Amino acid sequence: MTAADDNSTPARKISIFGREFAMPRSRGLRIVIGMLLTLGGILGFLPILGFWMIPLGLLVLSYEFAMIRRHRRRFVVWWERRRRPDR
């Protein structure tokens, strides 16, 4: 694969609270980032690290693994139904 081929593939983006963030193009790097965020979140009781890292890490991993993606989609559907008033 040449550098021109690598540039032609669009970067994946994560949408958080209406803002979009570009993720790295490398699948391995996305997996490492997701795992580090999730594992760092487990140590959320320590300074600087926080429990907010767990859902963010799972969100990054959901773009790579079907099992996590399925749970993310279920959560989004549940959340949207909860936000909408009954008609």
Side-chain angles (χ1 to χ4, degrees), residues 15-80:
S15 178
I16 303 172
F17 298 117
R19 295 190 62 193
E20 286 190 347
F21 298 94
M23 291 195 304
R25 293 183 191 272
S26 167
R27 181 177 192 257
L29 187 56
R30 288 190 303 263
I31 292 172
V32 168
I33 290 171
M35 293 296 289
L36 288 175
L37 283 168
T38 305
L39 293 174
I42 293 171
L43 303 173
F45 58 89
L46 296 173
I48 299 176
L49 301 175
F51 294 112
W52 58 268
M53 296 170 74
I54 295 172
L56 186 60
L58 291 175
L59 179 65
V60 171
L61 289 174
S62 74
Y63 284 86
E64 301 304 323
F65 299 107
M67 184 177 78
I68 302 170
R69 183 172 37 251
R70 191 169 25 251
H71 290 293
R72 175 180 53 95
R73 287 180 181 163
R74 285 182 185 167
F75 175 76
V76 168
V77 168
W78 173 81
W79 185 258
E80 289 300 321

